[in-house]
């Protein structure tokens, strides 16, 4: 599976903060916003990622993430000339996707929950059709809403319905099979002149190939598109990290846990930014892994001696 992060747009709801910098580079607590969607792709096992943004902002993303090799990824970049809709990501990224399935995530969406990596891994394998991720909301008239049967099969999808048939909002994370490229190529712009992701999902729905995973209680889905929601997301992340002593969306730690890099490489990445609490956290995670690996090696050697 290939990954795409759509990090374009002008972030007008966050002006003047976004007049000089992309919304997805603003901090959410101690990390750039784009760390959060990138961490989701990594937890799904995706190592080949395309970041789509504006010509103005792409150099800043390159400066932040480079080619991704330091965390065991391959990161490429592509330009979206104008905000022509979410579904345009599949035509821009067609060569990147190739013959694979694809995970698309919006650059301003934050996900967190127990065993989220298991949910992602289970649904990223052998994607047929589309897999959407739903979240119950209090104000469904503000979102794209999916009506589902007891087995998670989607019965209908409505964009900002006046009379919602459910409270399940379709969040900004989508898994598709390779047909999505051709579907996106054949879309017509909507009344607002955009290639709509809802139209892509409806085509899969008509084929009987649309499924919704209900994130349910215990999960958090945060959209950071306004000053208020950005501040709330920062408070949420800060509170959890302070209470639990672990960091959300720490790319180096995830790369280590997923086996993308080893403990030595992880430690060196932490050393580079060791003046920050984040850097010292990365170093401590790597050191703990090194200690654990050394203990296992000693146990193995002791067992070998005992057997001989």
């Amino acid at each position: 599976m290939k990954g795409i992060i759509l990090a374009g747009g002008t972030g007008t709801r966050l002006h003047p903060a976004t007049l000089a910098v992309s919304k997805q580079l603003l901090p959410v607590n101690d990390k750039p916003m784009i760390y959060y969607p990138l961490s989701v792709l990594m937890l799904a096992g995706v190592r080949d990622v395309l970041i789509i943004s504006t010509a103005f902002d792409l150099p800043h993303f390159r400066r932040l993430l480079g080619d991704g090799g330091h965390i065991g990824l391959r990161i490429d970049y592509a330009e979206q000339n104008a905000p022509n809709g979410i579904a345009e990501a599949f035509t821009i990224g067609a060569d990147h996707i190739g013959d694979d399935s694809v995970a698309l995530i919006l650059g301003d969406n934050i996900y967190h929950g127990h065993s989220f990596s298991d949910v992602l891994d289970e649904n990223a394998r052998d994607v047929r059709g589309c897999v959407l991720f739903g979240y119950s909301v209090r104000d469904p008239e503000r979102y794209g809403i999916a009506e589902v049967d007891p087995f998670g099969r989607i019965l209908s999808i409505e964009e900002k319905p006046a009379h919602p048939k459910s409270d399940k909002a379709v969040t900004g994370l989508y898994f598709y099979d390779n047909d999505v490229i051709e579907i996106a190529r054949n879309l017509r712009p909507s009344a607002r002149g955009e290639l709509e992701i809802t139209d892509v999902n409806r085509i899969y729905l008509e084929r009987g190939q649309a499924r919704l995973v209900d994130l349910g209680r215990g999960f958090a889905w945060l959209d950071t598109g306004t000053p208020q929601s950005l501040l709330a997301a920062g408070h949420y992340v800060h509170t959890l990290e302070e209470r639990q002593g672990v960091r959300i969306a720490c790319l180096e730690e995830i790369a280590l846990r997923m086996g993308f890099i080893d403990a030595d490489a992880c430690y060196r990445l932490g050393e580079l930014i060791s003046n920050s609490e984040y850097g010292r956290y990365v170093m401590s995670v790597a050191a703990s892994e090194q200690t654990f690996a050394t203990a296992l090696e000693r146990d193995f050697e002791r067992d070998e001696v005992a057997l001989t």
Side-chain angles (χ1 to χ4, degrees):
M1 174 179 274
K2 301 290 179 60
I4 296 178
I5 301 176
L6 187 58
T10 55
T12 54
R13 291 183 297 169
L14 287 165
H15 282 176
T18 50
L19 286 173
V21 66
S22 167
K23 170 176 63 176
Q24 289 84 9
L25 291 171
L26 293 176
V28 177
N29 196 33
D30 61 345
K31 294 171 288 293
M33 188 186 298
I34 198 170
Y35 272 38
Y36 295 87
L38 182 55
S39 73
V40 171
L41 296 182
M42 293 172 68
L43 288 171
V46 175
R47 301 184 68 172
D48 201 339
V49 177
L50 179 69
I51 295 175
I52 298 176
S53 191
T54 66
F56 177 82
D57 291 314
L58 282 176
H60 304 301
F61 288 110
R62 285 195 180 96
R63 190 175 300 116
L64 175 67
L65 297 168
D67 65 2
H70 61 293
I71 49 175
L73 304 182
R74 175 183 172 180
I75 299 178
D76 292 311
Y77 302 87
E79 180 182 337
Q80 187 179 38
N81 296 316
N84 296 321
I86 295 172
E88 190 183 33
F90 304 115
T91 57
I92 294 172
D95 290 340
H96 167 76
I97 299 168
D99 296 326
D100 289 328
S101 57
V102 60
L104 171 67
I105 187 167
L106 303 186
D108 60 358
N109 276 217
I110 294 175
Y111 295 82
H112 180 256
H114 179 65
S115 300
F116 190 34
S117 58
D118 294 335
V119 172
L120 294 169
D121 178 65
E122 178 183 347
N123 290 284
R125 283 186 262 117
D126 192 27
V127 176
R128 298 181 182 181
C130 79
V131 181
L132 309 178
F133 293 83
Y135 191 80
S136 294
V137 293
R138 289 185 302 173
D139 45 358
E141 64 279 355
R142 294 181 53 232
Y143 301 91
I145 296 297
E147 177 191 13
V148 297
D149 69 12
F151 303 100
R153 292 186 295 250
I154 300 175
L155 303 175
S156 68
I157 300 175
E158 296 180 281
E159 190 66 31
K160 298 180 180 178
H163 304 286
K165 296 178 181 177
S166 84
D167 65 350
K168 300 298 180 192
V170 177
T171 70
L173 174 63
Y174 318 86
F175 291 172
Y176 296 100
D177 63 18
N178 196 257
D179 287 353
V180 74
I181 297 174
E182 196 62 27
I183 290 172
R185 281 176 176 155
N186 291 316
L187 285 182
R188 293 183 177 180
S190 65
R192 60 177 184 165
E194 295 188 7
L195 300 178
E196 305 286 356
I197 196 68
T198 299
D199 290 338
V200 172
N201 297 335
R202 284 198 184 111
I203 290 172
Y204 278 107
L205 175 60
E206 291 167 3
R207 295 179 177 182
Q209 295 181 314
R211 182 166 59 88
L212 184 122
V213 176
D214 184 4
L215 293 178
R217 298 179 66 177
F219 278 87
W221 168 55
L222 306 171
D223 180 356
T224 54
T226 67
Q228 295 78 15
S229 60
L230 180 62
L231 182 63
H235 282 315
Y236 174 85
V237 172
H238 175 76
T239 300
L240 283 181
E241 291 185 346
E242 284 294 305
R243 289 183 178 177
Q244 297 180 353
V246 297
R247 276 188 157 55
I248 299 170
C250 177
L251 302 184
E252 297 83 357
E253 180 179 16
I254 293 170
L256 176 62
R257 304 297 188 213
M258 296 295 293
F260 299 169
I261 60 173
D262 61 23
D264 289 341
C266 185
Y267 190 89
R268 289 194 296 271
L269 291 173
E271 274 189 313
L272 293 173
I273 51 174
S274 58
N275 281 342
S276 68
E277 288 187 12
Y278 181 93
R280 291 190 290 274
Y281 173 80
V282 171
M283 292 168 66
S284 70
V285 166
S288 297
E289 189 73 12
Q290 289 167 328
T291 301
F292 180 68
T294 300
L296 282 180
E297 186 176 347
R298 287 173 180 166
D299 289 345
F300 180 74
E301 290 173 351
R302 186 177 64 245
D303 291 343
E304 275 195 324
V305 170
L307 288 172
T308 56

